[in-house]
Amino acid sequence: MKKILGILALLIAVCVITGLRKPEFFGAYNLGNLAERIAMFGIIGIGVAFPIITRGIDLSIGSVIGLTGSLMPLLLVKHGWGWPSVIVATMGVALLVGVIHGLLITKARLQPFIVTLCGLLIYRGVARWITDDRTMGFGSTYDDSLVRLVSTQIPIPGVGFAIPISFVYLAVIALLAAFFLHRTVWGRQIFAVGSNPDAARYAGIHVDWIITLTYIICAGLAGFAGILFALDVKAVQPASHGNFYELYAIAAAVLGGCSLRGGEGSILGVVIGAALMRVLYNSINLLGIPTQLEFAIIGAVILIGVFGDEVVRRIWASKRGIGKQE
Amino acid sequence: MRQAIITALCAGVLAIGGCGQAGSGGRAGGGNGGGGGGGQADKPHVAFITNGIASFWTLAESGTKAASVDFDADVDVLMPTGIVDQNRMIEDMLTSQVDGMAISPIDGENQNEKLNEAAAHTTLITHDSDAPDSNRVLYIGMDNYSAGRMCGELVKEALPGGGELMIFIGRLEQDNAKRRRQGVIDEILGRSHDPTRYDPPNARLEGNGYVILDTRTDDFTQAGSQAQAEDALAVHPDIDAMVGLFAYNTPAVLNALAGADKLGKVTVVGFDEDDATLEGIKAGHVFGTVVQNPYMYGYESVRVLAAIARGDKSVIPESGFLDIPARKITPDNVEEFHADLKEKLGG
């Protein structure tokens, strides 16, 4: 919880500073845009939090997004499938990817970094190959019942603000994930495996199954986000759609308190971490800061946040230590 | 305590970032603009959004800077890394309530909805690449098909007896890229003038004594383009000509040729005015290039948007097309052109 406070303070600070200099930041239009961006990146952040908590990693998220994003218009427009079967098919592909990752990591005993790095390359290549590298759009001919899965806005009466449906997805996924992680036996076992896999195994936990499950959850959420991204942007460039998104997801998870050493993490923190990243991008544009500096500013703010968090933690720890001696 | 430290540090970083805006890149014209807010602004605040990050756009940026002084406007120049990024920039600029927006859409057809959203809230013009079906009021650029044919003429001048060649281009989904490439192909193969024609990229095309082996794309990366050129040389060691159609494609082709020790042995025809391309013309490694005028794209975009923001609609031509014509650069005029270019970039 303390870890969340630090990142939350940073998020609020960035919002307040931007809002003071550009009041439009708090306008309904901008908040709606932000909610939508936070939702999509929050979902993949929640996904990658699971393997991270078990000391693993998933580097293939961006390519899974690219693959599912390319499959959507390909199956819908080119092959004329109905949209329910397209969603089942793309989610099936994503979940299968998760199963394969899990089996390679637990049964073939390959390192998660290598398995998912190869996944990153393979799925990107497949996405480019099946589409002939052409940008896939949904075109104007396709009826928009599917696009409504993303474009629907839920108005809040009286405040002139509408919540994008994707933010509702995030809220539901976050609640389910938090309940699963913190309140169910499997969730606690995920933490146990991350803290000490050997101890978990001796305690009778099916470590292999738990680890595989985390990769299935991660790839599944990446696939779902891939569908949302594709429907949102309506034009999927197979070679670049979703590039580097795994790093945004991992950054959100780590910012939100997941330790890459395993055994730690909270879903709320991940959502706040994802929000911080998106708000920073937004602030940079609104404040008229040169886009060339974009990455540098985001990197610096995150580094300062994590560093400040660590410094304060140590000061507190040493103070507590002195108090005990006295 | 913890919050205080983090907040202070964060404020520091954003403040530093904010200070940077008067310096390099981003916002030209100084001042904070204060949001503009539609209507007739004293000092219009306009946005200039590119379709990627390239030296071509650096030239356009200096054009916007010059115009921001000449026409007393604030300009935000934004260079996206892809469609998702570009859409985000459109939204953020609408939030900033800019008085006008000039954009080079990455995929005009599929971005129509986003472009029309922008057009509904501010004055939208396109530059460099058009989105003819959107509600933009004006397109500033050149006719890419004609410029492509100009490039094809250079190939024919260099290889009057015909030969085998390959085309390198960043990506084909952009309207300008499709037309430019088609212009080159149609001119070389001696076809009639038809900008709507489209040959798929992987087809081998023959005619008029020439063979177009392939068109290779690299998704806007010079390293990718160089690898494509190197691989082309490996597969077709006897290739007669290589044509680079995005600004960085020609330098990438030159690097690949240098690595294969074939500089000057394979005819290179380029597009745009990258330094390496112009130096290549001077050294005799590049036969010629067709240049657009990105400086004027930037300059004219700001001029037009600033005028419209002040209520002057007479700057919009009836055709909705402001032509900034292309021209050929060969050893005959490269020195003069390069000197002028350096002056504009320095200014």
Side-chain angles (χ1 to χ4, degrees):
Chain A
M1 195 61 202
K2 276 176 192 161
K3 269 195 163 181
I4 299 177
L5 282 181
I7 193 76
L8 184 62
L10 189 55
L11 174 64
I12 293 171
V14 175
C15 290
V16 168
I17 291 166
T18 312
L20 285 177
R21 294 183 62 173
K22 276 275 176 184
E24 298 94 338
F25 176 80
F26 290 114
Y29 177 74
N30 195 50
L31 291 182
N33 287 336
L34 271 175
E36 194 159 341
R37 296 173 201 169
I38 291 166
M40 298 191 196
F41 285 95
I43 289 170
I44 54 175
I46 291 172
V48 81
F50 283 87
I52 287 178
I53 291 172
T54 61
R55 298 190 184 184
I57 197 81
D58 191 340
L59 298 176
S60 70
I61 292 171
S63 294
V64 170
I65 289 172
L67 180 60
T68 52
S70 303
L71 276 173
M72 290 277 298
L74 189 75
L75 296 178
L76 270 171
V77 181
K78 205 169 167 197
H79 296 288
W81 290 24
W83 68 263
S85 36
V86 169
I87 290 193
V88 170
T90 42
M91 282 307 296
V93 168
L95 293 171
L96 181 67
V97 160
V99 172
I100 294 169
H101 287 172
L103 291 179
L104 285 171
I105 289 161
T106 56
K107 300 302 177 195
R109 305 234 166 266
L110 301 177
Q111 290 181 19
F113 191 98
I114 299 298
V115 169
T116 57
L117 179 63
C118 294
L120 177 152
L121 300 170
I122 293 168
Y123 314 138
R124 177 68 59 194
V126 171
R128 295 182 59 178
W129 178 66
I130 57 173
T131 57
D132 284 333
D133 237 352
R134 261 172 298 178
T135 297
M136 307 289 295
F138 294 98
S140 46
T141 46
Y142 190 76
D143 86 284
D144 61 1
S145 55
L146 184 57
V147 172
R148 250 181 268 137
L149 284 178
V150 176
S151 64
T152 304
Q153 304 272 329
I154 301 162
I156 305 175
V159 290
F161 177 69
I163 297 179
I165 186 89
S166 45
F167 198 75
V168 177
Y169 299 147
L170 172 70
V172 172
I173 288 170
L175 283 175
L176 287 177
F179 179 79
F180 176 75
L181 200 55
H182 301 295
R183 294 276 179 271
T184 65
V185 175
W186 280 356
R188 301 316 296 174
Q189 288 183 347
I190 287 175
F191 279 108
V193 169
S195 300
N196 189 333
D198 291 333
R201 193 166 277 124
Y202 289 130
I205 295 174
H206 292 292
V207 174
D208 287 0
W209 156 241
I210 290 292
I211 288 179
T212 305
L213 179 66
T214 61
Y215 285 93
I216 295 174
I217 294 173
C218 183
L221 288 179
F224 181 62
I227 293 173
L228 297 185
F229 273 116
L231 290 175
D232 180 48
V233 73
K234 296 179 196 72
V236 179
Q237 297 170 290
S240 65
H241 186 73
N243 263 356
F244 299 119
Y245 284 11
E246 58 279 343
L247 297 184
Y248 295 134
I250 293 166
V254 173
L255 269 172
C258 294
S259 167
L260 288 172
R261 298 179 196 102
E264 277 181 59
S266 88
I267 299 300
L268 182 61
V270 175
V271 174
I272 296 172
L276 176 64
M277 304 271 295
R278 291 306 116 193
V279 168
L280 275 172
Y281 272 108
N282 185 241
S283 305
I284 286 166
N285 280 347
L286 295 195
L287 295 179
I289 296 170
T291 38
Q292 290 92 330
L293 273 174
E294 196 171 67
F295 285 142
I297 302 236
I298 288 169
V301 171
I302 293 172
L303 192 60
I304 289 168
V306 175
F307 181 74
D309 196 63
E310 189 64 32
V311 168
V312 174
R313 191 189 313 279
R314 284 191 193 170
I315 293 172
W316 277 9
S318 66
K319 269 189 185 164
R320 260 205 302 262
I322 292 165
K324 273 178 193 164
Q325 280 167 5
E326 282 167 3
Chain B
M1 171 68 185
R2 177 212 300 257
Q3 279 89 334
I5 291 178
I6 295 175
T7 309
L9 288 171
C10 171
V13 169
L14 279 178
I16 291 165
C19 293
Q21 70 193 26
S24 67
R27 170 167 292 193
N32 245 333
Q40 294 186 14
D42 288 344
K43 187 169 191 183
H45 176 197
V46 303
F48 185 84
I49 302 176
T50 72
N51 65 12
I53 304 163
S55 56
F56 179 84
W57 291 120
T58 313
L59 263 172
E61 188 176 5
S62 39
T64 65
K65 278 183 185 167
S68 73
V69 175
D70 291 356
F71 304 101
D72 193 31
D74 280 324
V75 186
D76 278 346
V77 177
L78 300 120
M79 304 194 188
T81 54
I83 292 184
V84 177
D85 210 27
Q86 193 177 55
N87 285 347
R88 176 175 65 83
M89 285 168 172
I90 294 173
E91 290 169 355
D92 287 350
M93 285 302 104
L94 288 180
T95 300
S96 283
Q97 298 180 12
V98 288
D99 301 304
M101 192 185 294
I103 184 164
S104 171
I106 293 175
D107 186 345
E109 212 175 307
N110 288 307
Q111 281 175 292
N112 249 342
E113 199 180 310
K114 186 62 69 187
L115 294 174
N116 286 342
E117 182 186 330
H121 291 96
T122 187
T123 307
L124 180 79
I125 64 173
T126 51
H127 60 86
D128 175 52
S129 185
D130 196 12
D133 299 331
S134 71
N135 296 332
R136 53 102 177 118
V137 299
L138 172 69
Y139 165 56
I140 295 176
M142 57 168 190
D143 180 346
N144 271 283
Y145 183 77
S146 304
R149 290 201 82 117
M150 223 181 243
C151 191
E153 286 166 13
L154 283 174
V155 174
K156 292 203 307 200
E157 282 170 38
L159 298 171
E164 290 189 339
L165 61 121
M166 206 182 256
I167 296 172
F168 301 88
I169 190 161
R171 48 189 176 216
L172 273 177
E173 48 267 49
Q174 287 167 217
D175 184 62
N176 63 347
K178 280 182 203 149
R179 288 163 148 265
R180 186 181 303 172
R181 167 176 169 276
Q182 201 58 45
V184 176
I185 292 172
D186 289 357
E187 179 64 33
I188 292 174
L189 301 184
R191 293 168 171 173
S192 61
H193 187 100
D194 179 7
T196 58
R197 203 182 276 127
Y198 182 69
D199 289 301
N202 298 323
R204 182 186 159 100
L205 302 161
E206 282 183 58
N208 216 10
Y210 297 90
V211 181
I212 298 169
L213 297 164
D214 200 355
T215 299
R216 309 294 295 180
T217 58
D218 52 66
D219 204 56
F220 223 90
T221 58
Q222 182 162 349
S225 178
Q226 187 174 329
Q228 297 278 12
E230 286 163 355
D231 295 349
L233 286 171
V235 180
H236 306 285
D238 298 324
I239 194 166
D240 299 300
M242 299 168 94
V243 182
L245 290 185
F246 274 14
Y248 62 87
N249 286 128
T250 313
V253 164
L254 289 173
N255 286 344
L257 286 171
D261 203 19
K262 285 187 171 170
L263 273 179
K265 293 172 190 158
V266 175
T267 299
V268 178
V269 173
F271 212 100
D272 292 336
E273 56 281 275
D274 195 283
D275 256 347
T277 306
L278 297 178
E279 293 300 339
I281 295 176
K282 290 180 196 169
H285 300 148
V286 178
F287 182 79
T289 185
V290 173
V291 295
Q292 313 180 62
N293 201 336
Y295 181 90
M296 286 311 284
Y297 292 176
Y299 188 90
E300 288 293 301
S301 292
V302 174
R303 178 184 73 83
V304 167
L305 287 176
I308 295 173
R310 293 194 169 99
D312 175 12
K313 296 253 164 82
S314 68
V315 287
I316 307 171
E318 250 178 56
S319 60
F321 171 45
L322 196 65
D323 191 17
I324 314 273
R327 57 189 171 133
K328 292 179 193 170
I329 303 296
T330 56
D332 299 337
N333 55 0
V334 67
E335 292 288 353
E336 178 199 350
F337 173 76
H338 204 181
D340 176 54
L341 189 68
K342 281 179 184 162
E343 194 191 312
K344 278 177 180 157
L345 274 176

